[in-house]
Amino acid sequence: MNHAETLLPALRVAGLSKRFTLHNQGGVELPVLEGVTLDAFRGECLALDGPSGAGKSTLLKLIYANYRASAGSIRVRRTSAAAEVDVTTADPRTLLALRRDTIGYVSQFLRTVPRVGALDVVAEPLLGTADADTSALRDAHRKAQELLLRLRIPQRLWHVPPATFSGGEQQRINIARSFIRSWPVLLLDEPTASLDADNCSTVVSLIDEARARGAAVIGIFHDARVRERVATRVIDMERFQPRPGSR
Amino acid sequence: MSEDTQPILRVEGIVKHYGSRVAVDGVSFELWAGEVLAIVGESGSGKTTLLNAVAARARPDGGRVSFLTRHEGVVDVHAMSEAQRRLLARTDWGYVHQDAVQGLRMNVSAGANVGERLMALGERHYGRIRNEAASWLERVEMDVTRIDDTPATFSGGMRQRLQIARNLVTRPRLVFMDEPTSGLDVSVQAKLLDLLRSLTRGLSLAAIVVTHDLAVARLLAHRMVVMKDGRVVETGLTDQVLDDPQHPYTQLLVSSVLQP
């Protein structure tokens, strides 16, 4: 790959470790990751590879600041600012801003909000917090509709809250919601896990489009064919396993 | 200074004693415009005492609460005159009580309950007050035909909605809520939480929500403060604190919740 000087990594992880301390189980320590070091450039798709328990989801959660790092740094380049932000030390306000404008995350499960219809769930990341004006709302709904169509969500479900949807339908709502914005960094935790072949290939296209827009994608893809199709690099997570007896 | 460069509320070193017992022991935090903060803890953790000290409903024994007003910059709320404090509490602040009876006037109509804060601000035009009250009853999803009924005839969930409308009619920028959904049936609770969520998001309200219910915090709050024995033991983004709790007490709280 040729890296022009302006092509700085979108994400730089260095010396990142995570261990859980279970205070109510006699303070037992569970080391999960140690010394994770990787860069992700715009337009790349990194596939995290390794057996169950290798810390793949944990790494995504650390990058999203859902989990707190035990050591190391996670530097993300913010769209609106030239400087990098270290997710492991940033204050809550900065983290919330990062989640609004820089890092998108597709979790394995949709956390549904009661009474909000599918279309609004999908459009929400475009609308921010305050009452949006009508043209912004129309725009966001139009984009949401396009994604729902591409992901084959029947139109009769668009205004129904996703709480009652099947697992696969919920997962597609989750995906639509996360692809509606052009996040510079996109984290995908098994985005195709419960999808049929047609929807799988739609998700593959969405990932390609995100990369073409310049997103750095980091994902966990259980399905080997999907992984081969989307990954530009495979990261072997075995390298970051804590050695027995180490902290 | 704008709301983007400094917090709208700064709480520094609040201390409150009850006799020899220390109920709140040096609590500090900041709140930014549009941010919802949950204060969680069990009974006796000091969370309601803290809320009352911050909302200037009780005088703390130590510490300072600074609020960024719309027009007069930052004010020390415990150094204000009683009259100034009451004006602030009726205009830029709201306070939602756990028991709606404490936050409502039970013997006047729903419309008058909502209109009262407008009249306190000098509005005298009956038609405008009534229209505004009706529009707020609608926003909190109440049956507008009940506008002339008194809250004594309302269910618990309706009273809580009315209390919320009464608080929001003056477009406050900061709302304090003390266990806003506890004591209600579960189905009523879910609808009310959903309403609170869309109101706080839609109006960019800053709010401090005291709750013992972690699910309430998950749904409403951006950030969380965990209190035990009058002190803050952990703070962070709501999902951080709930998904990766660090302090032994927070781990115990999170693991004690039944997963339905």
Side-chain angles (χ1 to χ4, degrees):
Chain A
M1 266 178 88
N2 96 64
H3 293 153
E5 260 182 37
T6 51
L7 211 62
L8 298 164
L11 176 79
R12 296 194 293 146
V13 178
L16 183 69
S17 298
K18 177 62 182 173
R19 58 174 178 275
F20 294 94
T21 308
L22 308 180
H23 291 288
N24 300 300
Q25 325 262 321
V28 62
E29 299 247 344
L30 294 178
V32 178
L33 290 171
E34 193 170 277
V36 182
T37 298
L38 57 86
D39 287 351
F41 289 87
R42 303 185 57 161
E44 277 197 301
C45 176
L46 310 189
L48 306 183
D49 192 30
S52 170
K56 304 186 294 291
S57 291
T58 299
L59 177 55
L60 296 186
K61 288 174 177 175
L62 286 163
I63 296 171
Y64 198 59
N66 177 223
Y67 286 176
R68 298 191 230 213
S70 308
S73 63
I74 302 167
R75 292 196 170 80
V76 178
R77 192 166 299 282
R78 248 187 105 178
T79 19
S80 49
E84 288 177 318
V85 173
D86 185 348
V87 168
T88 65
T89 54
D91 61 49
R93 234 173 131 240
T94 307
L95 293 176
L96 290 170
L98 270 182
R99 289 178 180 185
R100 266 196 310 274
D101 63 25
T102 308
I103 308 180
Y105 173 50
V106 181
S107 59
Q108 286 188 56
F109 303 101
L110 179 69
R111 194 176 276 282
T112 53
V113 174
R115 295 207 305 168
V116 180
L119 195 67
D120 286 313
V121 170
V122 172
E124 196 198 4
L126 280 182
L127 295 172
T129 49
D131 279 336
D133 62 73
T134 45
S135 80
L137 197 66
R138 217 177 15 241
D139 225 39
H141 277 171
R142 192 177 43 73
K143 283 193 179 138
Q145 284 169 6
E146 280 169 22
L147 280 162
L148 290 174
L149 277 176
R150 286 186 71 180
L151 288 159
R152 299 169 186 80
I153 299 288
Q155 204 159 340
R156 64 187 157 77
L157 295 180
W158 289 5
H159 295 283
V160 179
T164 54
F165 291 10
S166 73
E169 284 163 346
Q170 291 199 4
Q171 181 62 342
R172 280 179 278 153
I173 298 298
N174 219 1
I175 289 163
R177 184 182 153 85
S178 308
F179 279 92
I180 199 165
R181 275 194 80 128
S182 312
W183 311 100
V185 175
L186 185 56
L187 311 173
L188 308 173
D189 194 343
E190 301 267 23
T192 58
S194 39
L195 302 187
D196 59 28
D198 284 348
N199 283 310
C200 249
S201 65
T202 301
V203 172
V204 167
S205 312
L206 287 169
I207 294 171
D208 287 345
E209 290 162 30
R211 283 180 46 220
R213 283 195 306 257
V217 181
I218 303 177
I220 302 166
F221 309 98
H222 195 68
D223 184 331
R225 277 171 311 174
V226 171
R227 184 167 61 234
E228 266 168 44
R229 175 67 185 70
V230 298
T232 56
R233 248 196 309 154
V234 174
I235 305 291
D236 178 10
M237 294 297 288
E238 303 263 24
R239 285 192 288 148
F240 309 128
Q241 295 312 293
R243 290 172 306 278
S246 77
R247 282 281 168 94
Chain B
M1 290 266 267
S2 85
E3 291 181 354
D4 292 336
T5 56
Q6 61 178 321
I8 67 161
L9 188 77
R10 181 171 277 142
V11 173
E12 296 164 283
I14 295 295
V15 175
K16 180 78 182 175
H17 303 277
Y18 288 122
S20 62
R21 199 172 74 81
V22 184
V24 176
D25 191 5
V27 172
S28 304
F29 61 84
E30 288 175 351
L31 189 72
W32 293 75
E35 198 176 42
V36 179
L37 175 76
I39 301 178
V40 306
E42 294 173 301
S43 313
S45 59
K47 56 192 193 303
T48 296
T49 305
L50 173 65
L51 187 73
N52 285 327
V54 173
R57 300 172 62 82
R59 184 169 282 281
D61 299 312
R64 183 205 299 263
V65 178
S66 312
F67 178 68
L68 179 64
T69 58
R70 263 184 249 233
H71 305 298
E72 281 132 46
V74 176
V75 295
D76 176 344
V77 303
H78 288 288
M80 297 167 92
S81 72
E82 184 58 34
Q84 285 174 309
R85 208 160 34 232
R86 287 180 58 172
L87 183 65
L88 185 64
R90 278 201 301 242
T91 55
D92 240 6
W93 286 7
Y95 193 103
V96 176
H97 295 263
Q98 175 177 359
D99 180 3
V101 171
Q102 289 186 310
L104 292 172
R105 299 218 290 142
M106 298 303 284
N107 52 355
V108 305
S109 71
N113 262 288
V114 179
E116 191 177 348
R117 273 171 66 119
L118 290 175
M119 290 193 281
L121 288 184
E123 179 62 79
R124 288 289 174 267
H125 188 282
Y126 176 76
R128 275 202 297 268
I129 293 173
R130 192 174 168 86
N131 283 340
E132 189 72 10
S135 106
W136 270 99
L137 293 184
E138 219 164 289
R139 284 194 80 155
V140 298
E141 297 163 25
M142 283 182 68
D143 178 358
V144 180
T145 63
R146 303 289 303 267
I147 191 166
D148 296 316
D149 298 345
T150 65
T153 66
F154 292 173
S155 68
M158 280 171 69
R159 287 179 188 176
Q160 206 53 302
R161 281 165 199 277
L162 182 61
Q163 194 192 183
I164 290 161
R166 175 178 160 95
N167 272 280
L168 296 187
V169 67
T170 55
R171 294 281 184 154
R173 291 182 304 146
L174 171 60
V175 176
F176 303 96
M177 302 186 213
D178 186 8
E179 304 274 10
T181 60
S182 61
L184 300 173
D185 289 341
V186 176
S187 61
V188 177
Q189 223 177 60
K191 281 186 191 160
L192 192 69
L193 272 177
D194 183 42
L195 175 73
L196 283 174
R197 184 180 188 275
S198 64
L199 286 173
T200 51
R201 295 286 196 275
L203 301 169
S204 284
L205 268 184
I208 300 180
V209 185
V210 159
T211 180
H212 68 279
D213 187 339
L214 299 180
V216 169
R218 168 88 79 179
L219 200 61
L220 290 182
H222 300 104
R223 279 198 298 130
M224 245 173 92
V225 163
V226 182
M227 283 190 74
K228 181 180 194 300
D229 300 332
R231 291 170 187 258
V232 172
V233 296
E234 185 161 355
T235 78
L237 295 178
T238 303
D239 62 278
Q240 275 180 340
V241 174
L242 295 177
D243 297 339
D244 187 15
Q246 308 288 311
H247 189 276
Y249 178 69
T250 318
Q251 290 187 355
L252 185 65
L253 270 188
V254 171
S255 66
S256 303
V257 176
L258 295 173
Q259 304 275 345

